[in-house]
Amino acid sequence: MPNLSREGIKNKNAWQNAGIELPEFDYDKVAAVTRENPVWIHFGAGNIFRGFIAMLQQMLLNMGKAQTGIVAVEAFDFEIIDKIYIPYDNLSLLVIMNPDGNLDKKVVGSISEGMVGDVSREHDWERLKEFFTKPSLQMVSFTITEKGYSLKNMSGEYFDEVLKDMHDGPGQPRHIISKVASLAYTRYKSGELPIAFVSMDNYAHNGEKLHESVETIVKKWVENGLVESGFLTYINDESKVSFPWTMIDKIVPRPSEAVKASLLATGFEGMEIMCTKKNTYIAPFVNAERPQYLVIEDNFPNGRLPLELAGVLFTDRQTVDRAEKMKVCTCLNPLHTALAVFGCLLGYNLIADEMKDSQLKKLVEKIGYEEGLPVVINPGILSPEAFIREVIEQRLPNPFIPDTPQRIVTDTSQKIGIRFGETIKAYRDREDLDPASLTYIPLTIAGWCRYLLGLDDKGQEMPLSPDPMLNVLKSHLSRVRLGNTGTVGDSLKPILVNKNIFGLNLYEVGLGEKIEGYFKEMVSGPNAVRNILQKYLG
């Protein structure tokens, strides 16, 4: 088996014999054109980028509808570039995990260059600045996780590196947003060249958040006399600089040992899975599910690639927002959270295994079809009914997606307000609906509170996943004892009235007491969680 390299992929017969699809374009030629006239730069060189976004451009290159590749920039975890990009000539292996167990394998060759986005890597940084002077550049996209856009800590204070950046100006940026602002300044100084900054991270109003964060840095630079006021005007002029909203959806979990074993069996070598010092799991391969969605607000001041040919849906901002709400508030994320909470309590280690549990499967059907769909605003470009059916019947039960409830339950306090609070608000605001009529959403919220005790349904100690509010939440529940419902008292009240968690006071909409009741049933003793699921789900 040839190795994963620019030379290796020239031996086409060997790859074809192994059933691996190769790029249908001249990699060296594309890389040369990209060096001179880059069109697309992407920040965040991890698995979702390699397993989804890079393949969109590969489709265009295969069709002859693009001539350039993507420049991949990693500004946080430099080991990704040093250990996964450079040794393999920026090539990756994508493994699509089908529900029937078949693996479709493709070489990802659309990444023309991988670089570290940091001033400590002087060669890379200067090269990146040069790319931002090019009139050809149309799009700078991002998958840096929601945390990447935050300038402040949980206490609402600016991070130290952000304060330093605000004081020092665009010359030596440290925070990722400061780096983006610095590079935008380079583009401004090159003739106010147009550009679209496109967040492809998985959260609502992502373009708005990116714009706000960049604008905050730039305003401080203007105030401190470090840049011209015209630069602030430039990044706020949509005819020159845009920040489109997007909705993205594709499960790209950490590299799977089973996939690695399959690749080794076909003759691949060097397919080691590694964990970086910053806790990123990476390998020369990426494994992912087949379904994927990317909806983008069509606002590109310097023109754009015809990514609709690769399945991207271009539309207006309101439609993006509706598609995002459909996914995050109803058709996928709430189901994931319900499975995560109860999966941890019931001892599951794989989401797909939970879908074999008749009560848990029924729970997500009830949350999705019965309680969620009635308040979904149809985005028009995607059918909510078809989307949720695919999630429940194909995506969640896929046994080859190694996704765990323990991973998904991470940071639930930051997510539960969107995943359930928005549906509760919609019931409150509709004359024909009453939030107090809900059963399965409050049952899941009670389940989350039960999870926070750190005891599984057998009463055994259970590790809790990271959450910025974990210590505060646990302190509210510190007096609760499994097997003694009298210890519950008012312990849930500080959680359920917290508008920062749920977006509203759950007692004011008639759900506080209901959740307390479910919670008391769940702490009545060992196996009480299973018993309440049997009671309400048969």
Side-chain angles (χ1 to χ4, degrees):
M1 189 73 219
N3 63 347
L4 191 60
S5 67
R6 288 166 74 167
E7 281 303 311
I9 61 171
K10 290 175 182 175
N11 185 356
K12 293 185 179 179
N13 289 336
W15 292 88
Q16 287 167 353
N17 291 339
I20 298 166
E21 185 183 302
L22 286 172
E24 297 168 20
F25 50 87
D26 185 326
Y27 179 91
D28 293 337
K29 183 178 176 184
V30 167
V33 175
T34 307
R35 275 194 295 274
E36 294 305 314
N37 293 296
V39 173
W40 185 354
I41 293 174
H42 183 88
F43 282 83
N47 294 331
I48 184 74
F49 166 65
R50 295 190 293 149
F52 181 8
I53 295 158
M55 284 304 296
L56 300 173
Q57 186 70 347
Q58 179 135 322
M59 284 189 239
L60 296 191
L61 286 163
N62 284 343
M63 288 186 267
K65 299 296 184 180
Q67 284 70 50
T68 55
I70 306 175
V71 177
V73 182
E74 180 55 44
F76 173 70
D77 195 341
F78 305 165
E79 284 184 81
I80 295 174
I81 299 296
D82 295 340
K83 295 184 175 177
I84 293 299
Y85 278 70
I86 292 170
Y88 300 94
D89 294 339
N90 304 314
L91 299 168
S92 293
L93 194 64
L94 171 61
V95 180
I96 298 294
M97 299 182 289
N98 295 304
D100 63 3
N102 284 324
L103 301 177
D104 294 337
K105 308 180 192 83
K106 304 178 181 189
V107 171
V108 184
S110 59
I111 304 166
S112 296
E113 196 162 343
M115 58 172 65
V116 169
D118 194 78
V119 291
S120 65
R121 302 286 185 100
E122 192 174 341
H123 175 267
D124 284 8
W125 186 251
E126 289 303 315
R127 190 159 175 67
L128 195 49
K129 282 169 66 178
E130 183 190 347
F131 284 156
F132 271 78
T133 69
K134 300 281 189 176
S136 59
L137 186 61
Q138 294 180 332
M139 172 164 65
V140 180
S141 56
F142 301 83
T143 48
I144 57 175
T145 77
E146 188 169 351
K147 292 175 186 173
Y149 302 87
S150 296
L151 303 178
K152 296 178 178 179
N153 60 25
M154 289 300 294
S155 305
E157 299 159 334
Y158 286 115
F159 294 120
D160 288 343
E161 64 177 4
V162 171
L163 288 172
K164 287 188 180 112
D165 289 339
M166 288 172 169
H167 178 268
D168 294 347
Q172 298 281 317
R174 300 162 185 85
H175 190 277
I176 175 65
I177 296 298
S178 310
K179 293 173 183 180
V180 175
S182 173
L183 292 163
Y185 185 57
T186 297
R187 195 157 182 80
Y188 166 75
K189 296 284 278 184
S190 301
E192 300 188 28
L193 297 170
I195 190 72
F197 289 107
V198 187
S199 170
M200 295 181 179
D201 276 295
N202 182 20
Y203 70 104
H205 303 182
N206 46 19
E208 182 177 56
K209 176 65 174 170
L210 175 58
H211 176 243
E212 285 175 358
S213 296
V214 171
E215 184 186 40
T216 298
I217 297 284
V218 174
K219 277 182 175 176
K220 289 291 183 184
W221 286 349
V222 172
E223 284 174 23
N224 294 334
L226 298 163
V227 300
E228 306 90 316
S229 60
F231 178 42
L232 180 60
T233 305
Y234 166 72
I235 65 140
N236 286 328
D237 182 348
E238 276 207 11
S239 69
K240 292 177 180 172
V241 182
S242 68
F243 295 84
W245 295 14
T246 69
M247 184 278 270
I248 189 168
D249 183 30
K250 186 180 182 76
I251 298 172
V252 184
R254 64 175 54 167
S256 160
E257 290 288 345
V259 170
K260 173 188 158 185
S262 172
L263 293 172
L264 292 174
T266 59
F268 266 102
E269 294 179 359
M271 290 289 116
E272 289 308 310
I273 299 169
M274 60 192 88
C275 182
T276 69
K277 289 171 186 167
K278 294 199 171 174
N279 210 35
T280 309
Y281 284 85
I282 48 174
F285 66 90
V286 181
N287 38 238
E289 66 171 347
R290 181 173 296 282
Q292 60 186 39
Y293 300 90
L294 182 56
V295 184
I296 302 180
E297 178 189 353
D298 200 353
N299 185 6
F300 290 79
N302 201 26
R304 64 167 175 80
L305 293 155
L307 286 163
E308 62 273 18
L309 300 177
V312 175
L313 300 169
F314 287 97
T315 184
D316 56 51
R317 178 170 291 187
Q318 183 185 56
T319 305
V320 174
D321 192 36
R322 287 176 174 174
E324 177 68 25
K325 283 192 170 82
M326 178 200 80
K327 176 183 80 108
V328 172
C329 304
T330 310
C331 296
L332 174 60
N333 296 34
L335 315 188
H336 245 162
T337 291
L339 291 172
V341 165
F342 287 108
C344 290
L345 288 166
L346 297 173
Y348 283 102
N349 293 306
L350 202 62
I351 291 291
D353 287 343
E354 291 187 68
M355 292 301 286
K356 298 173 190 170
D357 184 314
S358 61
Q359 287 155 5
L360 294 181
K361 183 171 186 283
K362 196 170 180 183
L363 174 68
V364 294
E365 288 172 345
K366 294 281 189 184
I367 290 171
Y369 292 126
E370 289 188 18
E371 296 188 340
L373 275 183
V375 294
V376 168
I377 298 173
N378 191 329
I381 54 170
L382 291 168
S383 159
E385 291 84 358
F387 189 95
I388 199 169
R389 194 178 308 114
E390 181 184 59
V391 166
I392 290 173
E393 295 178 8
Q394 296 178 40
R395 299 176 69 183
L396 295 177
N398 186 337
F400 303 96
I401 298 292
D403 223 346
T404 68
Q406 291 77 16
R407 182 189 78 83
I408 291 164
V409 82
T410 300
D411 299 340
T412 295
S413 70
Q414 310 299 293
K415 303 168 181 172
I416 201 162
I418 299 293
R419 298 185 178 192
F420 297 117
E422 291 302 312
T423 294
I424 295 168
K425 283 182 200 170
Y427 271 71
R428 176 197 64 190
D429 296 341
R430 285 258 299 262
E431 289 184 8
D432 59 329
L433 294 170
D434 179 4
S437 68
L438 294 166
T439 299
Y440 304 99
I441 287 174
L443 186 68
T444 301
I445 293 171
W448 176 54
C449 295
R450 169 66 183 80
Y451 160 85
L452 291 168
L453 296 181
L455 300 171
D456 67 17
D457 196 28
K458 294 176 182 173
Q460 304 293 314
E461 280 199 24
M462 170 184 73
L464 297 178
S465 297
D467 189 305
M469 290 191 69
L470 198 55
N471 290 335
V472 174
L473 293 165
K474 283 169 66 179
S475 71
H476 294 316
L477 301 168
S478 60
R479 295 180 184 174
V480 178
R481 296 289 175 266
L482 189 63
N484 185 351
T485 57
T487 61
V488 175
D490 288 338
S491 59
L492 261 61
K493 274 201 166 59
I495 299 173
L496 304 183
V497 301
N498 192 331
K499 294 182 181 180
N500 290 328
I501 297 177
F502 296 102
L504 73 173
N505 179 333
L506 293 175
Y507 291 92
E508 291 177 356
V509 292
L511 286 176
E513 289 82 2
K514 180 179 273 195
I515 293 167
E516 284 184 5
Y518 292 150
F519 180 78
K520 284 177 182 174
E521 287 188 64
M522 290 183 195
V523 299
S524 61
N527 303 314
V529 174
R530 176 57 77 184
N531 291 340
I532 199 172
L533 290 173
Q534 285 175 341
K535 176 179 175 181
Y536 288 98
L537 294 155

